[in-house]
Amino acid sequence: MHTPQYEFLSGAETHYFESPERREAILNFLRSHPDMFEVTEYFEDFGYQPIKRVHKKDFLEYLETAYEEWIAEGGHPNGVLPATIPHHKLARLGRLKASNCLAKSGQYCFDLSAVITKNTFKSAWNAAQITLTAAKELVRIGEEYEMNVTDGSSRENPPGLYALVRPPGHHAQSDLCGGYCFLNNVAIATQWLIDQPELKRKDGGLKKIVILDIDFHHGNGTQEIFYTTSNPLYISLHSDDDYPYFTGSEIERGEGEGLGFNINLPLPKATTDDDYVEALEKLIQEHIIPYKADYVIVSLGVDTFKDDPIAGFLVTSEGYPRIGNAIRKIGLPTLFVQEGGYCIEMLGINVGGILSGFLG
Ligand code: SP5
Ligand code: ZN
């Protein structure tokens, strides 16, 4: 339902890379491997409440009404896109008062890629609800797994789920869209899990979650949302020299209670399969295992792929099963949530590679 016709890249109008075909490509691949994947289209609607735990009320109101206002103001039907963004160096920024949609589009967006079309809110809403549905199912399969482990079975076969959603979420902050993202699906599902009153650890504490962000780009949105909390632990591997440019350095480690619970690992463009797997395994040993989480939520981007048209390390299709396998070895119930990845021809095999590697 979210169908911008174009975006701007390097100053030029180009087709919209975060396209509906991405979903078709992944779904076709999963459906053609019924021996490995069980596909279901069912999802539950959890309403506004879990979304409001992560995003600000005025931002949600804006997203929901923007396209209609935009058209009423004479905006182009391709969708809402800002012309002026309130840069932090502007004088007297505190007096910002956006009264029309063109002004609000700058207030609530940080780049030129998050085009709001007629059904963008509905599409982003459904993506969040699908991810929440998967989070609820994660609890169920997690409990089943725990019972088996208690019965003497080892922690070597963790259960997994994958939420095939778009638009993606990890660039969306509490009141900013950008980077093709509007609602932060992973953050919403994570906060929902933490909020479940009946979900407790054996020691009586809240369930602990690790968000592992393996998209090529830094998840500035997820980082911002959880910057001052120690649960979840946010870990991101991403390019050291690319979009979103101004976040993602190693010195961003969290603040207050959250200090030490935000971990960024920027990697060079020349990162190969071996480099990537080595870096990931090191993060798992040094940070994920000691955190002693109950669940892992993976922001799954495959724009790390060598032929990605807008991004790309040197990761190959042979690398993805190795990455999935490294995640399997954490030994925890895991929810994978789709983020980026724009090489349509290889999207299915690359996402499928991560998931099959996780299955072992
Ligand atoms: C979810 C996600 O992956 N969002 C990424 C949005 C990136 N948008 C801007 C990318 C600009 C990168 N530079 C283009 C270089 C073309 N050769
Ligand atoms: Zn990305």
Side-chain angles (χ1 to χ4, degrees):
M1 290 186 286
H2 169 56
T3 54
Q5 298 303 300
Y6 54 82
E7 63 179 295
F8 294 95
L9 268 183
S10 305
E13 186 182 312
T14 157
H15 79 273
Y16 202 70
F17 282 94
E18 202 288 283
S19 67
E21 290 75 56
R22 297 178 62 248
R23 170 187 179 274
E24 304 315 313
I26 298 168
L27 192 54
N28 285 341
F29 183 88
L30 300 179
R31 284 225 167 102
S32 64
H33 293 80
D35 50 318
M36 268 193 277
F37 309 114
E38 187 188 325
V39 180
T40 171
E41 292 194 54
Y42 160 83
F43 70 96
E44 215 177 297
D45 198 307
F46 292 70
Y48 266 105
Q49 203 274 337
I51 300 177
K52 281 191 184 150
R53 288 284 290 137
V54 162
H55 293 287
K56 298 200 180 133
K57 199 166 167 277
D58 59 326
F59 172 67
L60 295 172
E61 278 165 13
Y62 161 74
L63 283 184
E64 195 164 4
T65 56
Y67 187 78
E68 218 173 299
E69 277 187 36
W70 177 259
I71 295 301
E73 278 172 25
H76 191 282
N78 179 50
V80 182
L81 208 56
T84 308
I85 291 175
H87 197 279
H88 70 281
K89 289 178 193 167
L90 279 170
R92 294 188 293 282
L93 195 58
R95 292 189 188 175
L96 171 74
K97 198 154 180 66
S99 55
N100 60 38
C101 190
L102 187 54
K104 282 186 221 163
S105 69
Q107 182 183 347
Y108 293 118
C109 188
F110 65 85
D111 74 1
L112 296 185
S113 75
V115 182
I116 301 175
T117 63
K118 189 168 192 309
N119 290 318
T120 294
F121 183 76
K122 211 171 168 192
S123 186
W125 173 280
N126 285 356
Q129 303 298 345
I130 289 166
T131 311
L132 283 161
T133 303
K136 188 172 169 185
E137 179 66 7
L138 182 70
V139 173
R140 197 188 64 74
I141 62 176
E143 281 166 0
E144 221 172 69
Y145 179 57
E146 268 316 306
M147 263 157 37
N148 291 338
V149 170
T150 316
D151 290 349
S153 158
S154 73
R155 288 188 184 274
E156 276 161 25
N157 277 309
L161 288 161
Y162 165 65
L164 173 48
V165 293
R166 64 173 292 276
H170 77 148
H171 295 302
Q173 299 194 176
S174 54
D175 63 352
L176 274 179
C177 58
Y180 305 143
C181 303
F182 303 89
L183 299 177
N184 195 316
N185 306 311
V186 162
I188 292 165
T190 298
Q191 190 61 54
W192 181 85
L193 280 168
I194 294 169
D195 284 344
Q196 294 315 295
E198 70 281 6
L199 260 189
K200 288 276 163 60
R201 293 163 71 95
K202 289 206 184 83
D203 62 10
L206 300 176
K207 292 280 189 184
K208 288 167 70 178
I209 296 169
V210 173
I211 297 175
L212 174 61
D213 190 332
I214 59 173
D215 187 279
F216 175 81
H217 305 101
H218 178 240
N220 60 289
T222 315
Q223 167 169 300
E224 181 250 357
I225 289 161
F226 296 121
Y227 208 61
T228 59
T229 176
S230 59
N231 187 20
L233 169 65
Y234 176 70
I235 301 197
S236 176
L237 296 90
H238 49 265
S239 171
D240 64 359
D241 184 26
D242 211 299
Y243 182 90
Y245 308 110
F246 310 112
T247 64
S249 77
E250 263 163 311
I251 62 166
E252 296 153 37
R253 298 185 57 241
E255 255 166 38
E257 233 182 79
L259 184 62
F261 296 94
N262 190 94
I263 294 163
N264 288 325
L265 184 62
L267 298 167
K269 285 269 164 54
T271 296
T272 61
D273 291 349
D274 285 350
D275 300 333
Y276 197 94
V277 171
E278 191 186 320
L280 176 59
E281 283 179 339
K282 194 159 182 276
L283 285 174
I284 289 172
Q285 287 313 319
E286 290 179 5
H287 297 284
I288 297 185
I289 302 290
Y291 185 70
K292 296 197 184 303
D294 298 282
Y295 304 109
V296 177
I297 302 190
V298 179
S299 264
L300 169 52
V302 287
D303 38 11
T304 46
F305 184 52
K306 66 178 180 51
D307 295 328
D308 194 278
I310 64 161
F313 288 147
L314 301 178
V315 175
T316 71
S317 296
E318 285 71 54
Y320 290 111
R322 295 174 59 193
I323 294 169
N325 196 255
I327 297 170
R328 166 193 173 86
K329 286 193 216 132
I330 300 168
L332 291 174
T334 300
L335 168 59
F336 296 85
V337 182
Q338 188 61 45
E339 301 280 5
Y342 308 98
C343 178
I344 307 272
E345 309 82 76
M346 300 301 278
L347 205 46
I349 197 157
N350 290 345
V351 170
I354 299 243
L355 301 179
S356 64
F358 178 83
L359 292 172

